[in-house]
Amino acid sequence: MNTPEQLAARVGEAMFAADRASREFMKMELVSCSPGRAIMRMAVRGDMLNGHEICHGGFIFTLADSTFAFACNSHNKVTVAAGCTIEFLRPGKLGDVLTCEGVEQVLQGRHGIYDMKVTNQHGEIVAMFRGKSAHVQGCVIPEGS
């Protein structure tokens, strides 16, 4: 029988293997996936810069949104975003390594609230993201496997 920590790690591995957008296109790294939590990392590349020569906010959003997905699916229930907000607090710059840590704040019935904190390699907060999740039918990986 899997512990909740083992199950969450296996869910994270399965989701990341199938998540071509995060893994291949965005070149994110799944650092960890545990019950109600996830950490992902991404380097800011030249092709991510906008006209101000800073990381396009959409890429920072995608890092936070991907981390949100791993955190809210960590209980092995297929879960999708029902809404979110993001606050950009400082720019991401070329060569920065952005780390997003997502933490479950509440899980009640079919819905959860999760907070994502995106920091740079200096520990400075780049963005804060709050997501609301909704559980739909199904499991990420087969029950009992």
Side-chain angles (χ1 to χ4, degrees), residues 16-80:
F16 194 65
D19 186 350
R20 293 186 351 224
S22 296
R23 188 172 38 81
E24 294 175 13
F25 182 73
M26 296 294 294
K27 305 209 184 305
M28 292 179 196
E29 170 192 0
L30 176 62
V31 176
S32 67
C33 186
S34 57
R37 301 178 78 91
I39 299 174
M40 296 189 80
R41 189 173 296 136
M42 172 186 83
V44 178
R45 306 182 312 264
D47 59 355
M48 296 175 157
L49 301 181
N50 64 18
H52 298 296
E53 293 294 312
I54 58 176
C55 187
H56 191 291
F59 292 118
I60 296 169
F61 178 93
T62 302
L63 173 63
D65 186 48
S66 292
T67 307
F68 171 43
F70 284 90
C72 68
N73 279 276
S74 64
H75 302 291
N76 198 32
K77 294 182 178 179
V78 175
T79 306
V80 297

Side-chain angles (χ1 to χ4, degrees), residues 90 96-99 117-127:
R90 74 178 328 111
D96 278 354
V97 177
L98 304 180
T99 300
K117 179 168 62 172
V118 180
T119 57
N120 63 21
Q121 68 275 14
H122 305 295
E124 299 165 325
I125 299 173
V126 173

